[in-house]
Amino acid sequence: MWFIIVCLVILTKILYDWRRPSTFPPGPRGLPIVGNILDVKRLVDETKFYSHAWCRLADIYGPIVGLKLGIAEPMIIVSGKDAVIEMMSRPQFDGRPNGFIHKLRTGGKRRGVLFTDGDIWRDQRRFVLKTLKEFGFGNVTMEDIILNDAISLTSTIESLTKLGPITNLYNITSIAVLNNLWTLVAGTQFDLDNSKLTEILSVVNEITRNTNVTGGILTHLPFLRYITPGLTGFTALNQKWTRMWQFIRTEIMKHKQTRTHGEFRDFIDVYLAEMDKQSNSSISSFDEEQLISVVKDLFTAGVETTKNTIGFIITYLVVKQDVQRKVHEEIDRVLGTEILPRIVYKNRLPYLNATIAEVTRLANVGPTSIPHRAMTDSTLLGYEIKKNYTLLANLRSVHMDEQHWGDPKEFRPERFINDKGEYIEDPWLIPFGLGHRKCLGEILAKNNIFLFTACLLQKFQFVLPLGHPNPILEGVDGFTIAPPHLSVVAIKRK
């Protein structure tokens, strides 16, 4: 008797969760328990990219699409400029998901700055920005550090060209990009052939390529990790995050052993001092696990999108040699061969800026926002958004809007050049997001991309090896979009 009652209760709960109230955003019907998991899988199989699947759903159902993925809270896909701006500018949508996968990545509890919210996020974010700024974040000192790393990269590339086509350009670019951030965070730099760092960057790349913004099966049906930990990816993912956690913990231990009280070499030193200062506070969010998580967030977010964007710039230019030639001509005219690119010259290089903007728009390295969470019950464009719903801003839908761009699939840097030959920013280009959760490393990322690209194109012409097929410009899907793997020949310019 009791067994029958329990089964009826469970069945009622399943059917209740399956229903779609009239105020819930439109979307595919789905199935009991698994919801829309199979619908999303089918669309991703057809389109090859999650972001393409979101655009397909927007075409069918409109700017606000509701999905139910397993037993997780519903996910709302927000597409189109107006809807995206409204969602990202409203503080009630500034939360972060609290699913299993979001806690697993930082030791079983939400920590750091990427996937926290509320007082912890505000305290950590404020401290991170203040401290990094004191060490040169966003000023001329930072520019010098970036330029030194860019020059080191060009020297390495020049050496590699003697050995034939370069097959690991993205890897060495990753280390070069990381170095300027790591100088602020840990006070050291790495050789471009550092084996330990190459291994950790490989781990980061594997995690990024094998995860997606929905959180995957470990978010939708987290109990499966107990049943099939290998098939769900739990075992491999946990091992990779543990390796990265240990790498950062080792760096922090070195700082603990070598720090001098009252003297601060870098961000880690200042954070350790803040931990000492707040050690007697019962409400402090500053501890070693938080420090590891913050450094981990800076490490991954600070490198992934920047190196992918630079990689896409090179990829597009090896295919679009006419555009590369125009960039070369502009650099030669403004800088020549000896003057180092600097931010002060940025406005005098409109075509380079336009090329970077156009690659950013088309490549969509971050095709959606990092997942947001509704902090309270609310509405969006007339649809009910309950507390703890997850929301994704579909940035690709804005960057590829045909009504605004006209020919969004065409690679045309001239769309960012006005009649006077000046570079013009377009408010429809929002790769760093909007609102309070806008990327905190935007300035550093923009400076990295501009200075590295200018230095590389001042020194080299990039071409494909003879017989190399044209790369697929759409890239490789994952949590972010990566450029396709390819070999390049770097020809030193006279």
Side-chain angles (χ1 to χ4, degrees):
M1 180 66 178
W2 282 110
F3 176 76
I4 295 174
I5 292 174
V6 170
C7 288
L8 287 173
V9 170
I10 294 173
L11 179 61
T12 301
K13 179 68 167 62
I14 290 171
L15 293 175
Y16 180 82
D17 289 342
W18 183 42
R19 72 187 183 92
R20 299 178 73 93
S22 60
T23 55
F24 187 76
R29 178 71 174 169
L31 297 170
I33 302 177
V34 297
N36 300 118
I37 291 177
L38 298 179
D39 297 312
V40 171
K41 183 181 184 304
R42 175 179 57 79
L43 283 173
V44 173
D45 287 344
E46 288 177 8
T47 64
K48 309 304 180 186
F49 292 83
Y50 276 87
S51 55
H52 290 48
W54 307 147
C55 290
R56 179 80 64 83
L57 287 170
D59 290 340
I60 299 170
Y61 297 103
I64 311 295
V65 177
L67 298 174
K68 293 186 176 183
L69 303 174
I71 63 174
E73 292 287 349
M75 174 170 283
I76 312 301
I77 310 299
V78 182
S79 303
K81 182 171 180 277
D82 292 342
V84 165
I85 289 176
E86 181 172 351
M87 181 215 118
M88 300 193 80
S89 62
R90 288 171 56 181
Q92 59 263 50
F93 299 139
D94 279 347
R96 289 294 194 217
N98 193 25
F100 168 75
I101 202 75
H102 305 102
K103 292 180 284 191
L104 177 67
R105 63 182 296 277
T106 47
K109 180 180 177 181
R110 284 201 305 170
R111 298 184 175 101
V113 288
L114 282 182
F115 283 96
T116 52
D117 49 44
D119 291 339
I120 291 177
W121 169 70
R122 280 187 287 272
D123 290 346
Q124 295 295 321
R125 185 179 186 275
R126 188 182 302 117
F127 183 85
V128 168
L129 286 174
K130 176 178 176 292
T131 305
L132 290 182
K133 188 174 181 180
E134 290 172 354
F135 282 101
F137 188 79
N139 63 24
V140 175
T141 302
M142 190 73 238
E143 183 179 356
D144 289 335
I145 294 171
I146 296 171
L147 279 171
N148 286 336
D149 292 325
I151 292 168
S152 296
L153 178 60
T154 59
S155 298
T156 300
I157 290 174
E158 188 172 350
S159 299
L160 290 174
T161 57
K162 300 172 183 176
L163 305 176
I166 301 171
T167 58
N168 63 339
L169 180 60
Y170 300 153
N171 291 339
I172 59 174
T173 300
S174 296
I175 299 176
V177 168
L178 175 63
N179 260 338
N180 56 75
L181 177 62
W182 200 248
T183 300
L184 302 184
V185 171
T188 58
Q189 287 210 325
F190 298 96
D191 296 329
L192 295 188
D193 59 352
N194 184 288
S195 58
K196 182 63 176 177
L197 187 63
T198 300
E199 177 190 352
I200 294 301
L201 285 170
S202 176
V203 168
V204 173
N205 184 63
E206 289 171 13
I207 292 172
T208 308
R209 297 281 64 76
N210 293 301
T211 55
N212 63 75
V213 289
T214 72
I217 198 69
L218 291 173
T219 292
H220 314 328
L221 302 169
F223 60 85
L224 289 179
R225 71 186 186 276
Y226 298 118
I227 303 170
T228 57
L231 290 176
T232 59
F234 169 73
T235 302
L237 196 57
N238 196 37
Q239 289 173 346
K240 291 180 175 66
W241 271 331
T242 298
R243 284 164 65 190
M244 193 172 179
W245 192 268
Q246 291 170 343
F247 172 80
I248 297 171
R249 187 186 290 280
T250 299
E251 187 64 43
I252 291 170
M253 290 301 298
K254 292 178 185 176
H255 275 68
K256 283 185 171 182
Q257 295 165 0
T258 59
R259 64 191 284 237
T260 302
H261 289 278
E263 295 182 11
F264 305 118
R265 298 164 293 183
D266 48 48
F267 174 82
I268 293 177
D269 275 354
V270 179
Y271 200 105
L272 290 171
E274 188 68 18
M275 284 168 50
D276 294 340
K277 181 181 175 181
Q278 298 195 27
S279 59
N280 295 322
S281 172
S282 60
I283 60 172
S284 173
S285 64
F286 288 79
D287 55 39
E288 188 167 315
E289 284 71 28
Q290 275 286 0
L291 174 54
I292 295 172
S293 300
V294 168
V295 172
K296 180 176 179 291
D297 285 346
L298 293 173
F299 189 106
T300 52
V303 175
E304 183 65 22
T305 55
T306 301
K307 63 101 172 177
N308 281 352
T309 301
I310 295 171
F312 266 115
I313 291 170
I314 300 302
T315 302
Y316 269 88
L317 293 185
V318 297
V319 175
K320 310 291 185 179
Q321 286 292 321
D322 57 327
V323 174
Q324 186 175 174
R325 184 178 66 255
K326 291 178 182 178
V327 174
H328 285 149
E329 290 171 354
E330 182 178 74
I331 290 175
D332 292 346
R333 186 171 61 254
V334 175
L335 301 177
T337 58
E338 301 299 327
I339 299 175
L340 277 178
R342 284 192 172 274
I343 301 301
V344 71
Y345 298 119
K346 192 172 184 179
N347 289 339
R348 295 175 60 189
L349 296 165
Y351 197 78
L352 173 60
N353 289 317
T355 300
I356 292 172
E358 181 69 340
V359 172
T360 301
R361 183 190 68 81
L362 265 176
N364 283 294
V365 168
T368 69
S369 65
I370 290 176
H372 288 229
R373 177 176 64 89
M375 306 284 278
T376 61
D377 289 349
S378 185
T379 60
L380 183 60
L381 297 190
Y383 295 107
E384 185 178 43
I385 307 297
K386 291 188 176 181
K387 183 179 179 179
N388 292 327
Y389 279 14
T390 297
L391 299 98
L392 276 182
N394 181 4
L395 304 182
R396 177 182 169 83
S397 70
V398 182
H399 296 161
M400 300 299 289
D401 187 292
E402 189 169 334
Q403 290 187 346
H404 175 73
W405 302 104
D407 54 352
K409 294 181 180 179
E410 295 298 316
F411 180 70
R412 190 167 56 84
E414 287 77 11
R415 72 176 80 245
F416 292 97
I417 302 289
N418 66 15
D419 294 338
K420 298 178 181 178
E422 301 165 332
Y423 170 71
I424 51 170
E425 294 188 356
D426 192 311
W428 286 64
L429 184 62
I430 49 174
F432 297 97
L434 300 164
H436 293 115
R437 299 306 305 232
K438 189 176 185 179
C439 174
L440 61 83
E442 178 181 1
I443 294 175
L444 179 62
K446 285 182 174 179
N447 288 348
N448 263 302
I449 292 166
F450 173 78
L451 292 172
F452 269 90
T453 301
C455 283
L456 289 172
L457 293 173
Q458 184 182 43
K459 299 297 182 184
F460 303 105
Q461 177 190 3
F462 293 95
V463 300
L464 292 172
L466 190 64
H468 193 295
N470 275 347
I472 300 173
L473 294 175
E474 287 185 315
V476 182
D477 202 16
F479 196 92
T480 60
I481 307 297
H485 179 77
L486 78 163
S487 299
V488 297
V489 175
I491 302 171
K492 188 172 181 181
R493 303 182 64 228
K494 302 298 184 181

